[in-house]
Amino acid sequence: MALRRRCLRPLLFFGTLALIGTGIALEAAWASLPAATRIVLQKGSRYWPTDLYLRRGDTITLRNGDARLIHHAFIEADRFSFDAGDQSPGAETRLILATPGDFIMQCGIHPKMKLTLHVE
């Protein structure tokens, strides 16, 4: 049993180093990615998706996918605010996220509609 533990220790040590090195490489790769554009669909009195993880500089395109409903997306936060105004069916509005933090996007017409944005 003691021999088995001695054999596993180097594997655990070097395996941990490999994971740490991979994490550093992934972090560097993530930092070098260009800004992205994400589509958020407003349909059926919901945002799709309901949670979104983004980086500073990413763009959100809000698309009203309902055939008859009007939506009114907004964010009110201490460091950042946004108001898309009334969006008719099929309309799109773009938002560039430049401020890091967690934000809640709501619909002024449908209060149960919520989208959580996590911006790094």
Side-chain angles (χ1 to χ4, degrees):
M1 194 74 126
L3 179 62
R4 186 174 177 189
R5 277 192 210 142
R6 278 188 275 162
C7 292
L8 288 177
R9 282 184 188 152
L11 289 175
L12 289 174
F13 175 74
F14 289 113
T16 303
L17 284 179
L19 287 175
I20 290 170
T22 303
I24 292 169
L26 288 175
E27 191 172 311
W30 176 262
S32 66
L33 291 174
T37 299
R38 309 293 170 98
I39 294 175
V40 173
L41 188 62
Q42 302 168 99
K43 188 168 175 95
S45 296
R46 287 188 60 144
Y47 287 109
W48 300 90
T50 57
D51 260 320
L52 202 51
Y53 291 86
L54 306 154
R55 295 179 331 150
R56 280 183 281 167
D58 285 355
T59 300
I60 292 177
T61 299
L62 292 167
R63 181 178 297 154
N64 184 345
D66 280 315
R68 296 188 191 134
L69 295 178
I70 294 174
H71 294 288
H72 187 120
F74 72 93
I75 298 171
E76 286 184 10
D78 293 338
R79 297 174 288 140
F80 172 72
S81 65
F82 166 76
D83 192 330
D86 287 350
Q87 288 184 272
S88 299
E92 289 186 351
T93 302
R94 286 181 179 70
L95 164 65
I96 297 174
L97 297 155
T99 305
D102 294 327
F103 305 100
I104 304 291
M105 182 178 289
Q106 296 176 283
C107 178
I109 299 170
H110 308 99
K112 291 184 179 182
M113 284 180 69
K114 292 187 182 175
L115 165 64
T116 304
L117 302 171
H118 309 277
V119 184
E120 290 186 0

